[in-house]
Amino acid sequence: MRKIGMVTSLAATMILAACSGGEKAAGPQEVNLYTARHYDSDQPLYDRFTQETGIKINRIEGRPDELVARMKSEGENSPADLFIAADAGALWRAQEAGLFQPIQSETLNARIPENLREPGGNWYGFSRRARVVAYDAARVKPEEIDDYAKLATPRFKGKICVRSSDSVYNLSLVGALIEAWGPQKAGEWAKGIVANMARAPEGGDRDQIRAVAAGVCEVAITNSYYYIRMASGDDAKDREVTGKVKLAFPSLDGKGAHVNISGGGVAKHAPNKANAIKLLEFFASADSQKHISASNNEYPASPDVQVPPPVDAYTAFTANPMSVAAFAARQPEAQSLMSAAGWR
Ligand code: FE
């Protein structure tokens, strides 16, 4: 988390402390949002929610594991109403820690496809991101990377850049491979990737994309929105990078690219449960999904929400229909397979 997140976090703590003593019925309407999404572009969404509903959002930002630890230690007295994270794996960890309460919402069920929400109603996705491949268009043919399995073949020996195994994005990807292939084959894949690494894992997804442009590697594993942001943002250097480096959407067993979510769930001890549900339904509204897509370059979760520019230029792929809850629950297995493979 950046420094700005800490400041916000402290300020929010003070606001929460100030509010927690008051009579709920008499006090102003509010909702306490614990969020691991750290995008400035979410702010207009919060403002609009408050404008439309009169409900004030008290926001606490942190890394997912920090927020989970905090909610655990706060226990029954936790002021948390809604927990939001940018990966199904992080939501699953919160669920495992007993921090959610299942909710029933016809609105959410109608807006969010079944495979993008937890079957018990513990958490719901509201935007999608694909974990895919950026490649050097001068050296790699698209058909060489049309399947995740191909990345682990000797063709790419010394040619792959990828971040470390403690990235929840990678854990979720390997979780999906375990779900599709079983642990044996997924473990072999992880070993193949380690054998093919151009360098020891370092940096985030954008650093891997830049390393492809710099000739360090030929392919990089990345979340789609990082690439789309580089290709369509204001940074001339990044746009130069994406002139050479292209984005491909490998398939898993011919069923499409691995897709993850941003999403959230209602906290077990939410003091403002009804407001938490309202806020989650708000994130899942067509307008919010469109905003998140346009500003953070994720994909809308609902198939009936039109994909806005610049993301609409990157929609020519099949999304794997695998349940996000299924691969999210494979986190511990993924972690041990990756450690065993020597994936740092
Ligand atoms: Fe990210």
Side-chain angles (χ1 to χ4, degrees):
M1 186 54 44
R2 301 155 312 166
K3 269 186 196 126
I4 196 167
M6 295 294 290
V7 173
T8 311
S9 178
L10 267 177
T13 307
M14 283 151 68
I15 291 164
L16 288 181
C19 292
S20 57
E23 272 278 280
K24 251 168 229 132
Q29 283 281 310
E30 60 182 2
V31 63
N32 300 321
L33 174 66
Y34 281 37
T35 179
R37 278 176 67 88
H38 49 84
Y39 311 120
D40 295 339
S41 56
D42 283 355
Q43 186 60 47
L45 276 185
Y46 304 144
D47 293 343
R48 188 157 58 81
F49 176 76
T50 301
Q51 260 168 29
E52 285 177 12
T53 63
I55 300 166
K56 185 166 153 271
I57 300 176
N58 304 315
R59 180 163 43 122
I60 290 191
E61 288 189 356
R63 289 199 309 270
D65 292 343
E66 278 170 5
L67 294 173
V68 163
R70 179 168 178 157
M71 286 167 76
K72 264 197 212 167
S73 75
E74 287 168 344
E76 284 182 26
N77 298 319
S78 176
D81 289 311
L82 189 63
F83 172 70
I84 280 181
D87 191 290
L91 294 167
W92 177 82
R93 284 185 210 169
Q95 184 187 346
E96 275 296 286
L99 299 175
F100 288 137
Q101 57 175 305
I103 57 157
Q104 287 307 322
S105 160
E106 284 185 19
T107 304
L108 288 171
N109 289 347
R111 286 179 188 164
I112 305 302
E114 217 172 338
N115 68 310
L116 303 181
R117 47 184 158 91
E118 199 277 321
N122 280 286
W123 43 269
Y124 296 80
F126 49 75
S127 72
R128 299 181 299 146
R129 53 266 303 283
R131 191 146 186 80
V132 289
V133 166
Y135 67 100
D136 184 337
R139 296 191 178 135
V140 180
K141 296 189 202 83
E143 62 266 28
E144 291 176 309
I145 42 168
D146 60 4
D147 192 303
Y148 291 94
K150 292 184 181 175
L151 297 173
T153 63
R155 156 68 180 90
F156 291 106
K157 186 135 195 94
K159 306 290 185 202
I160 294 183
C161 284
V162 61
R163 68 200 288 175
S164 67
S165 62
D166 59 16
S167 153
V168 70
Y169 303 148
N170 281 339
L171 289 168
S172 287
L173 172 60
V174 173
L177 300 184
I178 297 170
E179 183 67 18
W181 295 339
Q184 177 85 29
K185 187 174 167 187
E188 291 305 317
W189 185 87
K191 282 182 198 155
I193 295 295
V194 172
N196 286 350
M197 285 179 188
R199 60 179 186 186
E202 60 176 63
D205 284 356
R206 271 169 292 197
D207 299 309
Q208 318 309 322
I209 298 170
R210 292 180 186 125
V212 174
V216 176
C217 37
E218 292 185 3
V219 296
I221 298 177
T222 179
N223 279 356
S224 50
Y225 55 89
Y226 290 117
Y227 179 90
I228 298 171
R229 202 182 298 162
M230 287 172 73
S232 57
D234 297 330
D235 190 316
K237 266 193 189 153
D238 278 348
R239 284 201 310 270
E240 201 182 309
V241 162
T242 54
K244 296 187 220 169
V245 181
K246 297 297 166 195
L247 194 63
F249 294 79
S251 188
L252 178 50
D253 284 345
K255 291 178 189 153
H258 167 64
V259 166
N260 208 322
I261 52 161
S262 275
V266 175
K268 175 104 181 255
H269 305 290
N272 306 290
K273 179 181 172 182
N275 291 350
I277 295 173
K278 257 187 216 164
L279 182 54
L280 194 49
E281 289 174 346
F282 174 82
F283 282 128
S285 69
D287 280 352
S288 297
Q289 288 190 41
K290 224 181 264 177
H291 172 88
I292 290 169
S293 181
S295 59
N296 200 45
N297 302 156
E298 296 171 72
Y299 297 103
S302 311
D304 50 350
V305 174
Q306 210 190 343
V307 183
V311 185
D312 58 349
Y314 301 89
T315 51
F317 72 98
T318 304
N320 197 293
M322 182 185 290
S323 159
V324 294
F327 69 70
R330 300 280 191 179
Q331 297 262 306
E333 273 174 282
Q335 192 124 48
S336 59
L337 282 189
M338 292 166 91
S339 303
W343 190 327
R344 296 216 318 242

